[in-house]
Amino acid sequence: MSYHYQSVLEAIRSDVAPLRRAGSVANYIPELAKINPNKFGMHLRTINGQDYAVGNSGENFSIQSISKVFALAMVVSLIGEKIFERVGVEPSGSSFNSLVQLEYEKGIPRNPLINAGAMVVCDVLIEQLRKPKKEILEFVRLLANNKKIGYNERVAASEKTFGFRNAALANFLKSFNNIHNDVGDVLDLYFHICSIEMSCKDLATAFLLFANHGTVMTTSESILTKSQTKRLNALMQTCGFYDEAGEFSFTVGLPGKSGVGGGIVAVLPHRYAVATWGPRLNARGNSVMGMRALELLTTKLGSSIF
Ligand code: GLU
């Protein structure tokens, strides 16, 4: 069925415009606070390779926690389900950098999309790859079909300088033997993947992997099996939005992932991937405009997974 996606996106852009000043930019990583907060972009790419976009959709921003999905996809492609012996698959219901849950669950993070879980994933990538930073970047570039994607060293350094809580999490994991490598190396990789910069267009292109049974659209390369793709989509659905995953399911109804850089990317399996960017966040760390834009999208198209 052919939708008039472009006119739907244009309508959404004007519908969310009144929210332009709602929420605030993440400032706990000082380098992130430098962004112009009034940006808004949205890009939808269909499984047939058609692109629809509005606003600042071609502008790069810090993907932050969205990178956790790339790291997880890479780990699953390398070691399969074995990763789930070291990290769970349940929603945390807590904030992304919570320490308490780790204590009473003896160092097994609830899921791979919270910080502690992503650190375990990074630990495995260090074990599995000869040049983890380089190879992860190549993986993301392959998925997004864009060789220019890179790390922002200033953002990575800023997060390292102020990442006291993340350092606590990594050390805590190590005390439970759920980090095998040097804590500093794991944090360095974690901060770097968070600092990757991409546009809404890049993200929508890359996430088509999850709409397309784990096969890269542009090269037809199979990265994940159908079953692994199903599992990753399920994790995004239940764990992709910190302690607001229920709200995102409730209002949007798609698997997706957000980051404190203001990006959100979501997938309608077999149909499309869509990314939004609006730097101002709500109290739970999700983009105010992005959440609303995606709610409007699935409502206007009548196309959530439910
Ligand atoms: N690098 C950020 C942190 O670890 C990622 C947070 C996020 O996007 O949820 O604090």
Side-chain angles (χ1 to χ4, degrees), residues 28-29 64-65 68 96 115 159 166 190 194 242 259-260:
Y28 73 102
I29 303 170
Q64 292 297 315
S65 271
K68 293 177 167 101
F96 60 98
N115 290 14
E159 196 168 352
N166 281 324
Y190 172 77
C194 288
Y242 318 120
V260 296

Side-chain angles (χ1 to χ4, degrees), residues 222-234:
S222 179
I223 304 274
L224 302 169
T225 65
K226 276 189 187 174
S227 156
Q228 289 169 340
T229 311
K230 179 187 80 177
R231 288 172 195 274
L232 264 63
N233 280 330

